[in-house]
Amino acid sequence: MSELTINPQSFGRVAVLMGGRSAEREISLKSGRAVFAAMQTLGIDAVAIDVDQNVSERLRHETFDRAFIILHGRGGEDGEIQGVLQSLQIPYTGSGITGAVLSMNKRLSKQIWQSQGLPTPKYVRLNRHSNTEQIVEELGLPIVIKPVNEGSSIGMSKVTSAEALHQAINLAFDYDDEVIAEQWVHGAEFTVSILNGKALPVIRLTTPREFYDFEAKYLADSTEYLCPCGLAEDDEKRCQQLAISAFNALNMSDWGRIDVMADQQGEFYLLEANSVPGMTDHSLVPMAARQAGISFENLVAQVLQSSLEGKR
């Protein structure tokens, strides 16, 4: 992939939407500041907006030619801000309403992937009174408990005993009213960034922690990101093609990230999709872009360029 030649004036006045009210607010602010700084370096007329309940009024009464959505989690990746922007006829980056909804909800993502024959770990939908013995019988151990509508591994637990299940389920319900239990895949974790229909180089994630949780993502110094990822060329292409298929199945567009596990036999399984991934200098999409020869500033420009396309 190559860098994009851009005309900063072609974008007009850009609202960089960050922050918001989700559990990922602080990460979104870091991403947003990095994106805003890149736009300033590029000479783009950008305005940084920390999104609150009055954002629709501000967008309505000020003149913006487009919006760069860098809101993580609820309000940003679930179709809400996309709906506001669409109603105001302001072009925006990333997936449209449908793609945002389907990729945000882990259960819907998995249902669609299963319906299209794409591999994803087995799962069951839970309530606070779910029969733990039945869950273990169906999925085995370990099990991952996930809030359906949270990102950054917030509220997620890896459970290795039936006794620990109740606590993990209650923790997940503290963050969401919909929770799933997912079969654990023993093997390596990878992530594939998608940019304008193409997969960037695959990154392998390694951590000494139980799994790639919030601390491993944002706080620990022990997490390693391997890019090149160490896969054979054919296997990396297979992983990239699976990610593109998963991305398209959810009606996602422009850019995003698909997280994948490989089992010990080398088979890949889809974990989840991210329609507004992190965009700090240490985030995964910029890391993959660098490996492909794309600078952070040019990555921002390429994502922004996608806002010139209409949303479905």
Side-chain angles (χ1 to χ4, degrees):
M1 296 182 75
S2 59
E3 296 226 330
L4 176 76
T5 303
I6 67 150
N7 171 13
Q9 283 69 47
S10 68
F11 298 116
R13 192 163 185 250
V14 182
V16 182
L17 303 178
M18 66 180 84
R21 65 181 191 279
S22 82
E24 297 176 80
R25 171 179 168 77
E26 293 306 316
I27 308 303
S28 172
L29 286 171
K30 287 181 183 175
S31 292
R33 290 183 196 116
V35 167
F36 178 65
M39 287 193 194
Q40 289 185 306
T41 300
L42 291 165
I44 294 169
D45 180 10
V47 179
I49 299 178
D50 187 348
V51 172
D52 59 19
Q53 65 269 29
N54 299 317
V55 69
S56 58
E57 288 302 307
R58 182 169 181 185
L59 291 170
R60 183 177 286 109
H61 291 112
E62 291 187 42
T63 301
F64 292 103
D65 296 291
R66 64 200 69 260
F68 192 117
I69 301 173
I70 196 64
L71 289 159
H72 307 318
R74 295 170 198 249
E77 291 186 84
D78 57 2
E80 185 177 311
I81 194 68
Q82 290 82 0
V84 169
L85 291 164
Q86 216 145 299
S87 71
L88 296 173
Q89 297 186 309
I90 298 173
Y92 57 89
T93 57
S95 294
I97 296 171
T98 304
V101 170
L102 296 180
S103 58
M104 178 74 179
N105 185 298
K106 296 178 181 68
R107 179 179 59 81
L108 291 178
S109 298
K110 289 171 75 68
Q111 280 184 341
I112 288 167
W113 289 336
Q114 285 178 333
S115 73
Q116 297 204 13
L118 299 174
T120 187
K122 281 177 63 178
Y123 75 99
V124 293
R125 194 175 181 179
L126 303 178
N127 60 56
R128 288 185 183 272
H129 309 292
S130 291
N131 184 317
T132 53
E133 289 180 8
Q134 198 172 329
I135 296 167
V136 172
E137 188 177 325
E138 189 162 346
L139 300 179
L141 287 169
I143 294 170
V144 184
I145 305 300
K146 296 181 174 183
V148 161
N149 295 292
E150 285 292 351
S152 293
S153 301
I154 290 167
M156 191 184 297
S157 306
K158 178 185 177 184
V159 176
T160 56
S161 69
E163 295 73 37
L165 258 179
H166 274 304
Q167 185 178 351
I169 290 169
N170 286 335
L171 173 66
F173 274 112
D174 285 345
Y175 290 94
D176 199 356
D177 56 8
E178 188 175 2
V179 173
I180 60 170
E182 184 179 78
Q183 190 175 48
W184 178 259
V185 177
H186 295 272
E189 184 163 358
F190 299 92
T191 191
V192 187
S193 301
I194 311 289
L195 179 61
N196 296 326
K198 295 181 180 175
L200 296 176
V202 177
I203 298 173
R204 180 176 177 180
L205 316 165
T206 69
T207 174
R209 297 181 61 78
E210 278 287 313
F211 67 102
Y212 188 52
D213 60 6
F214 185 89
E215 181 153 336
K217 286 175 179 172
Y218 302 113
L219 305 174
D221 294 326
S222 54
T223 306
E224 287 189 298
Y225 305 97
L226 307 177
C227 190
C229 65
L231 288 170
E233 186 179 347
D234 286 351
D235 290 334
E236 180 163 7
K237 285 181 179 172
R238 190 161 52 90
C239 184
Q240 289 173 316
Q241 188 51 58
L242 176 62
I244 289 171
S245 297
F247 185 91
N248 292 338
L250 301 180
N251 203 33
M252 297 171 74
S253 53
D254 302 343
W255 76 301
R257 212 184 73 231
I258 303 291
D259 297 335
V260 178
M261 288 292 293
D263 68 12
Q264 291 166 332
Q265 287 72 47
E267 295 302 319
F268 294 111
Y269 292 86
L270 298 164
L271 296 183
E272 53 194 74
N274 303 268
S275 66
V276 186
M279 278 288 278
T280 70
D281 281 328
H282 301 295
S283 294
L284 297 166
V285 176
M287 197 180 301
R290 275 198 303 276
Q291 184 68 22
I294 302 169
S295 68
F296 185 83
E297 288 77 16
N298 203 261
L299 172 62
V300 168
Q302 291 202 39
V303 173
L304 187 57
Q305 181 80 13
S306 72
S307 68
L308 300 173
E309 308 296 325
K311 302 295 172 195
R312 286 174 288 170

